[in-house]
Amino acid sequence: MTVAPSDPPTGTSLVRLLAGWLPQQRWFGGKDGPIHDLTIGTATELRPGDPALHHLVLDVRQDDTTDHYQLLLGVRRDLPEHLAPVVIGRLEDLEQGITGYVYDAAHDAELTRPLLELMAEERTVGPLAFRRAPGTGIRTDLDGAPIQGEQSNTSLIFGDAYICKLFRRLSPGVSPDLEVNLALSRRGCEHVPSVHGWIELEPGTLATAGRPSANGPSSGAGSSGDEPVTLALLSEFLLTATDGWQLALTSVRDWFAQPTTPGTAPAFTAEDAGAAAATSPPRPNGSARPPPRCTATSPPRSA
């Protein structure tokens, strides 16, 4: 069943619609102040047709600070009823070539499946690189559904196989979530979900100058440096799993809380992070966890 949302915002400028919609999202970090400028930093078409899927990086300036947000933008001529709560507006933007209802596509199961396909095929689309972890396979027959109630990011559950964490507010460089979880996966650590893939933005693409802006031309600010920017992380879905980065942080905290001789600091290794996981909940099949044998090294950087 399709529905015309009651009084959706309409316009000919996508950035103006986004400037009105963005502050209402729970994952937007600038609710304490007005948006002074919003720029579409990158716009990448991932799927043509109806529905269409676009990936956007939004550069949002508030006072002297520019933050970067990731959005999966869906476009449909007719909007299904279940997508009405996530509609951004009705758009006729001839410059961007987008006409129809635009909405947050993270809530559209039909448009989340292409993410798995692109990672499985290790495709590069514009500035986006879709990666598959070495030695792993990725199923492409699953649709994703978002976990409700998350604040700063959005996680998609693909059946009982995967969880994909979409980082809404982007930070320059490789995410610690990816570095730690991938390193532990490569070492065979059984206390954290194994990494199957990830999505990254090529270095140097954040806040590119000269893009369409809600308040006219914008010069842009900031840089992603020499490293790719992590956009999403696809991991094995385990209800009782321990997040690798949180595990490492907790282990460091507990390790340094140990009494030490004045003037010395205890050494901390990846085995200590694995040891902390030994107290995590048992596996779903009830099997006992083996003694931790995790030794981590950082993943290689993309060229």
Side-chain angles (χ1 to χ4, degrees):
M1 176 180 179
T2 60
V3 61
S6 58
D7 300 322
T10 60
T12 58
S13 170
L14 177 57
V15 290
R16 290 187 184 277
L17 290 179
L18 290 170
W21 173 81
L22 192 61
Q24 305 173 39
Q25 308 314 303
R26 68 174 64 197
W27 40 263
F28 179 63
K31 294 185 177 66
D32 56 345
I35 293 177
H36 294 104
D37 193 43
L38 187 152
T39 301
I40 299 178
T42 68
T44 308
E45 185 180 65
L46 298 180
R47 169 176 160 165
D50 186 4
L53 176 62
H54 300 259
H55 180 278
L56 305 182
V57 173
L58 308 178
D59 304 328
V60 181
R61 182 172 64 82
Q62 295 181 281
D63 294 324
D64 296 328
T65 301
T66 299
D67 288 316
H68 312 283
Y69 292 88
Q70 170 180 205
L71 173 65
L72 292 175
L73 184 76
V75 184
R76 288 178 179 264
R77 187 170 300 277
D78 298 306
L79 194 72
E81 184 176 8
H82 70 278
L83 293 175
V86 295
V87 70
I88 296 171
R90 171 80 180 174
L91 181 67
E92 293 185 6
D93 190 334
L94 299 180
E95 182 178 347
Q96 294 284 335
I98 297 175
T99 301
Y101 290 104
V102 291
Y103 58 95
D104 185 352
H107 298 263
D108 188 346
E110 186 176 350
L111 293 183
T112 56
R113 183 180 295 193
L115 301 179
L116 297 183
E117 296 170 351
L118 290 165
M119 281 186 275
E121 297 170 4
E122 297 190 275
R123 295 269 302 278
T124 297
V125 185
L128 308 182
F130 295 82
R131 309 293 190 189
R132 177 170 50 84
T136 65
I138 297 177
R139 291 177 56 184
T140 60
D141 60 338
L142 302 172
D143 295 328
I147 295 177
Q148 301 299 319
E150 287 190 298
Q151 295 295 325
S152 58
N153 297 299
T154 299
S155 291
L156 304 175
I157 302 297
F158 290 89
D160 59 356
Y162 310 119
I163 180 170
C164 183
K165 184 175 183 180
L166 297 173
F167 298 98
R168 290 291 196 169
R169 188 176 184 178
L170 303 178
S171 298
V174 179
S175 166
D177 278 318
L178 173 59
E179 287 196 294
V180 173
N181 284 281
L182 183 57
L184 293 176
S185 295
R186 287 175 170 173
R187 291 294 178 172
C189 182
E190 299 186 19
H191 309 297
V192 296
S194 59
V195 174
H196 286 262
W198 65 95
I199 308 171
E200 61 189 25
L201 184 70
E202 68 181 11
T205 53
L206 289 187
T208 302
R211 302 291 183 177
S213 165
N215 297 321
S218 172
S219 61
S223 170
S224 62
D226 297 328
E227 294 183 343
V229 177
T230 305
L231 300 175
L233 171 63
L234 183 72
S235 303
E236 178 185 14
F237 178 53
L238 296 174
L239 288 175
T240 59
T242 302
D243 179 82
W245 178 235
Q246 278 305 123
L247 174 61
L249 292 178
T250 301
S251 301
V252 170
R253 180 199 65 198
D254 294 344
W255 188 260
F256 278 94
Q258 300 178 69
T260 60
T261 303
T264 65
F268 181 81
T269 67
E271 282 86 349
D272 301 316
T279 60
S280 59
R283 295 184 165 193
N285 62 10
S287 62
R289 293 181 178 273
R293 299 289 297 173
C294 303
T295 304
T297 57
S298 297
R301 306 291 188 179
S302 297

